[in-house]
Amino acid sequence: MEGNILQKLFSSMWYIRGNHTVTTEGELLYTNYSKNTVYRVTTCSNISVRKLIETGNWKPGAIYFSHIYGHILVGMGTILDEKITRYNREGRKLQDIQCDNEGQTLYQRVHFITENINGDICTADSSASKVVVVTASGKYRFSYSGHHSQLLFCPYGICTNVLGHILVCNNYFMYNTRYSSVHLLDIDGQFLSLLLTPKQCSPYPCVLCIDNQHNLWVGGWYSSTVSVYKYLQKTEN
């Protein structure tokens, strides 16, 4: 908690993906796409790293631990297909989320995963230039492809807050920083605001999270700095 290094872990990543998450017990889960494996790191007495899930022929990328259900959500793909698979905390497969209500593939690439307060699974798919949201049961709800105030949209880091708002980075790095921003959506995917405009935002934001004091933490591509913003006031309610 003082910022001292406990152990360094090296994992091959599949491009830029949210390949680590933390359980409610403080265990670190991370994916290794070259070994098609999810690992669990515990620090009870001694630091222990052990294999938790083997994903077969699917390459695991993004991972998220559900604080509502205590399940593990893993985005994974092959050359032709992409899906999210739900596991219990012991690593037993429970569910595949792959197609919408009409049988069409939901995802091109699952880059980041988060969960909303109603159990919705929110996914940033930068290859498809959209955010895809499904219910906890895997039923398609909506997609978000950016706001007309910004012509280009490339979502990466995504998280939600206590109000059910969805926050997502726009990181269209191939052009310039005029699209670098954080979009704020309501629980049904309606655009509320640019929470961070290009003038306020660090260049090329690609990861973000909210802590228990409602501070917003944002990390940028090509940057060694994490910026912290206060945008919600904590109340007794």
Side-chain angles (χ1 to χ4, degrees):
M1 292 300 295
E2 287 71 39
N4 299 315
I5 293 176
L6 298 175
Q7 182 172 343
K8 291 184 179 181
L9 302 169
F10 295 92
S11 171
S12 58
M13 293 179 62
W14 194 3
Y15 198 47
I16 301 297
R17 299 202 180 192
N19 77 323
H20 65 276
T21 188
V22 178
T23 70
T24 50
E25 290 77 25
E27 299 170 319
L28 172 68
L29 306 177
Y30 70 94
T31 60
N32 187 316
Y33 93 93
S34 66
K35 296 183 178 180
N36 294 11
T37 302
V38 176
Y39 291 93
R40 188 204 308 264
V41 183
T42 57
T43 58
C44 295
S45 52
N46 297 316
I47 294 177
S48 169
V49 181
R50 71 177 184 87
K51 189 181 298 183
L52 178 64
I53 299 168
E54 293 182 328
T55 58
N57 295 325
W58 293 81
K59 296 289 187 183
I63 186 170
Y64 181 80
F65 181 80
S66 165
H67 288 227
I68 296 176
Y69 300 103
H71 295 158
I72 303 163
L73 303 171
V74 184
M76 58 184 80
T78 63
I79 295 176
L80 299 176
D81 298 305
E82 192 83 5
K83 65 179 181 178
I84 292 176
T85 299
R86 181 190 296 271
Y87 298 89
N88 67 11
R89 62 175 64 239
E90 287 75 38
R92 182 171 64 87
K93 182 177 174 179
L94 301 175
Q95 175 191 24
D96 278 331
I97 301 171
Q98 190 170 3
C99 296
D100 64 15
N101 311 337
E102 299 178 353
Q104 300 298 312
T105 301
L106 284 167
Y107 312 109
Q108 287 189 30
R109 284 290 179 266
V110 177
H111 285 87
F112 289 85
I113 305 170
T114 193
E115 178 184 58
N116 216 334
I117 58 174
N118 61 353
D120 281 355
I121 301 168
C122 309
T123 303
D125 185 338
S126 65
S127 296
S129 300
K130 62 183 178 181
V131 171
V132 180
V133 177
V134 302
T135 65
S137 64
K139 183 179 180 180
Y140 173 78
R141 281 202 67 212
F142 62 84
S143 297
Y144 172 77
S145 299
H147 189 253
H148 62 78
S149 63
Q150 294 190 311
L151 297 178
L152 299 174
F153 183 63
C154 189
Y156 273 86
I158 188 169
C159 68
T160 61
N161 64 20
V162 294
L163 303 175
H165 295 157
I166 302 168
L167 295 81
V168 59
C169 294
N170 186 12
N171 177 11
Y172 216 97
F173 66 94
M174 293 178 64
Y175 289 83
N176 54 48
T177 60
R178 63 178 172 168
Y179 302 111
S180 296
S181 55
V182 173
H183 292 216
L184 181 68
L185 317 177
D186 70 13
I187 199 168
D188 296 314
Q190 298 301 308
F191 176 82
L192 297 177
S193 70
L194 289 183
L195 187 61
L196 294 178
T197 67
K199 290 183 179 180
Q200 298 168 319
C201 197
S202 301
Y204 313 118
C206 61
V207 290
L208 80 171
C209 72
I210 296 174
D211 64 21
N212 57 11
Q213 299 299 314
H214 310 305
N215 297 310
L216 173 63
W217 298 65
V218 182
W221 212 322
Y222 309 123
S223 173
S224 59
T225 301
V226 175
S227 300
V228 184
Y229 303 86
K230 173 69 74 176
Y231 84 105
L232 281 181
Q233 295 298 321
K234 187 175 181 180
T235 68
E236 293 182 0
N237 296 325

